[in-house]
Amino acid sequence: LIESVAGNTDFKLDHQFAVLRLLDETAQPYARKLAREYFTPHELNKFQENRLWLVLDNLCRHTAKAYYAVFNRYCSGDKGAAAIKAQLPLLAARAVYAMTGQLKYICAHYGPVNNTIWGNLAQLYRHAEQQQYLDTPLALYSGAAGNTTVKDELGRLLGWYGCGVNSLKPLYMHLTERIAGQYCSSIDIGAQQDANSLFGFDLDHPAAPVHIKAGVTVYPSMRFVGMAEMQPKLAALIKTLEKGAVPENLNLGGTYDAELVREAAQYLLNYLTTPPSRRSARRGVQVKLNVVNGFTKMIERTDIALDFSNEQPAHWDVEDISASGFRTILPAQGTDGIRIGSLLGVQPDGVPHWGAAVVRRLMRDDANRLHVGAEMLTNQITGVALSQSGGGGGGFEDGQPALWLQAKPGGSSGEAQLLMRADTFSANRSLQTQLNGKKYLLIPGRLQEKGLDYDLANFRVIEQESDPGVP
């Protein structure tokens, strides 16, 4: 229906806008329900995930296109334009809001972002700035808590997208977008660069917002996004979440565990205070990797496995590599299991041992090829069997396989990182294992990362001469 309204230029402009608003407002409660089902902490089956994504992506895409079509007709002076002049702030704000949703669902499937989005966004911003309605307060939808402005909605989109969303899992993409929306009134956009300018957006050459460094050449068409005022708000939110409580006024579009929300808020705060930078130089060296996906498949490649799988590893050609990770481009087919946070076993050709990596960035290009960026956890893993210190009990099954990560140069002595089966780590449970003929007591440190099928945890390691039976 929205698509048909957007393409029907026989409507007088004020009538077209009225019908579009009615359809959009009617769809909103259903769209929110489906979004709650899609952005869930629980793993969806592939069919349901794709079904929900198709509906939500189509709705946001067509809604954004429809609002921009109305905006375009207004700028062209079509019949009925004068009748909606007073509603321009609402028209522009809803267009930007729909574009935010469109971007979120593109990112959730790691798809390529059409530059048309950035071009349309630049036109909306330029018009709102010239006609001086950037800061006009409005109610975006009936029942929405508080007012917003065109500038707030632009700040939400540019600030959120600029914070490296292609390095997040879909659930965290959603949570960071909602948190950015909660505090979007504290995001500043202006023509003057200052010490707080974090991102730049060029109205004459629109593209994704880029991180701004001091001393760069500034053009009159540049607009700068600053998020310094959001930092204390995020810090205060994180303190509340650390107590296990999600503030009632924090609208996340659903009910989420406080720890999940805290991790999303902490990601944003970390990005704003210390934007990530490349830790080591990339080298143009071609390397062929054998690759397996998932904790269980990695265990099968070690001596600790009870049996060896006959399944052959995938073969990846890597041309962009550094000491801390690698990037590669994979064909469209055969990559369904790869996602942000996927645990990979990697073995360069000619190397006897396997290493471990985690997928940190994904993006599909126009040819549907998958661009994968992965962080190396270690160049060598060793399979070990874990038992609970002091005997059984406590719900821990002795003999569980795990992966001992060989320490990187400069790592702390007396500590070890282990990859364990998901939901195995406990901060209150010491473990025992053997490695290279020696017995070790593993005193839990912290859970460094939790994946779909693994826990990555730090332990303090004490070598033992004999079984001490430490409780």
Side-chain angles (χ1 to χ4, degrees):
L1 288 172
I2 288 174
E3 185 180 12
S4 66
V5 170
N8 192 334
T9 54
D10 292 334
F11 272 119
K12 286 179 61 178
L13 189 54
D14 53 332
H15 294 171
Q16 184 184 33
F17 186 39
V19 175
L20 174 57
R21 286 176 59 187
L22 177 63
L23 292 173
D24 181 24
E25 289 161 8
T26 303
Q28 283 301 310
Y30 302 99
R32 288 193 290 266
K33 180 179 181 297
L34 293 178
R36 285 195 295 272
E37 293 179 19
Y38 183 76
F39 292 111
T40 173
H42 310 294
E43 183 80 354
L44 294 172
N45 68 61
K46 198 65 181 175
F47 174 80
Q48 179 71 350
E49 191 270 340
N50 279 332
R51 179 170 170 268
L52 288 169
W53 182 84
L54 283 170
V55 172
L56 291 162
D57 174 69
N58 275 326
L59 178 62
C60 289
R61 179 158 41 85
H62 286 299
T63 303
K65 184 178 179 180
Y67 276 121
Y68 190 79
V70 174
F71 169 77
N72 235 353
R73 288 187 66 192
Y74 174 86
C75 293
S76 300
D78 279 13
K79 189 174 181 179
I84 67 169
K85 183 176 181 180
Q87 297 172 304
L88 273 179
L90 178 63
L91 169 58
R94 284 204 181 174
V96 177
Y97 180 80
M99 289 178 187
T100 303
Q102 182 183 2
L103 278 172
K104 186 160 67 171
Y105 291 107
I106 291 172
C107 291
H109 264 206
Y110 310 110
V113 176
N114 191 320
N115 277 338
T116 301
I117 293 178
W118 305 118
N120 292 350
L121 198 70
Q123 291 303 315
L124 286 162
Y125 183 94
R126 192 189 297 275
H127 193 270
E129 185 179 64
Q130 290 173 347
Q131 299 299 315
Q132 299 181 351
Y133 60 86
L134 270 174
D135 296 305
T136 302
L138 58 97
L140 192 62
Y141 289 98
S142 60
N147 286 339
T148 186
T149 66
V150 176
K151 187 176 182 179
D152 288 349
E153 295 305 315
L154 286 160
R156 176 214 292 254
L157 187 154
L158 294 172
W160 165 73
Y161 190 84
C163 287
V165 295
N166 62 346
S167 65
L168 296 174
K169 300 174 186 177
L171 175 58
Y172 291 93
M173 292 179 186
H174 170 72
L175 291 175
T176 52
E177 184 269 317
R178 300 298 298 201
I179 293 170
Q182 185 80 11
Y183 303 123
C184 61
S185 61
S186 64
I187 300 176
D188 181 61
I189 308 177
Q192 301 300 319
Q193 183 182 10
D194 59 29
N196 294 324
S197 297
L198 187 61
F199 305 118
F201 183 65
D202 193 335
L203 301 180
D204 283 349
H205 306 282
V210 294
H211 187 260
I212 291 293
K213 298 180 180 179
V216 298
T217 303
V218 175
Y219 300 98
S221 59
M222 291 289 291
R223 296 298 178 267
F224 300 95
V225 182
M227 303 174 71
E229 291 184 17
M230 186 185 286
Q231 295 178 25
K233 298 179 185 294
L234 289 173
L237 173 63
I238 290 167
K239 285 185 178 180
T240 302
L241 294 168
E242 285 174 342
K243 299 175 183 177
V246 178
E248 291 184 4
N249 67 339
L250 182 60
N251 183 6
L252 299 171
T255 303
Y256 297 96
D257 182 75
E259 179 59 20
L260 282 175
V261 183
R262 185 202 65 77
E263 290 173 358
Q266 190 67 60
Y267 171 86
L268 283 175
L269 183 58
N270 290 347
Y271 201 103
L272 299 185
T273 53
T274 313
S277 58
R278 191 176 301 284
R279 289 176 292 174
S280 50
R282 297 289 194 199
R283 300 193 306 271
V285 178
Q286 187 167 8
V287 178
K288 293 186 179 296
L289 292 181
N290 299 313
V291 180
V292 294
N293 182 11
F295 177 80
T296 301
K297 297 287 179 66
M298 291 174 66
I299 289 291
E300 291 172 353
R301 300 291 161 177
T302 69
D303 294 339
I304 199 67
L306 297 178
D307 55 0
F308 287 91
S309 171
N310 291 324
E311 183 179 345
Q312 294 299 308
H315 301 285
W316 292 4
D317 290 324
V318 176
E319 296 182 358
D320 189 359
I321 195 166
S322 73
S324 58
F326 61 86
R327 186 177 67 84
T328 189
I329 302 175
L330 303 178
Q333 303 301 320
T335 59
D336 287 345
I338 304 297
R339 61 189 67 188
I340 296 289
S342 288
L343 181 65
L344 305 177
V346 294
Q347 181 192 44
D349 273 0
V351 175
H353 52 260
W354 286 77
V358 175
V359 175
R360 299 300 188 198
R361 292 182 180 274
L362 287 179
M363 185 188 71
R364 290 196 181 274
D365 60 23
D366 292 334
N368 204 29
R369 298 180 305 172
L370 191 63
H371 295 241
V372 181
E375 176 191 4
M376 286 298 301
L377 299 178
T378 181
N379 291 320
Q380 185 170 352
I381 55 175
T382 304
V384 295
L386 303 176
S387 59
Q388 185 166 289
S389 177
F396 187 87
E397 179 185 347
D398 282 354
Q400 284 193 34
L403 298 168
W404 184 298
L405 277 59
Q406 179 176 291
K408 293 182 178 180
S412 302
S413 59
E415 293 186 357
Q417 278 186 311
L418 266 70
L419 282 164
M420 311 160 69
R421 189 184 303 160
D423 303 320
T424 298
F425 176 80
S426 170
N428 302 315
R429 179 170 53 221
S430 294
L431 301 172
Q432 291 176 310
T433 193
Q434 294 189 39
L435 180 67
N436 298 328
K438 297 180 180 180
K439 295 182 178 180
Y440 294 97
L441 174 66
L442 305 174
I443 300 174
R446 68 183 183 93
L447 182 62
Q448 185 175 332
E449 183 171 342
K450 187 171 186 61
L452 284 174
D453 63 345
Y454 68 91
D455 288 347
L456 175 61
N458 288 33
F459 290 86
R460 187 158 61 91
V461 179
I462 299 176
E463 185 179 341
Q464 298 177 314
E465 296 297 331
S466 59
D467 186 1
V470 178

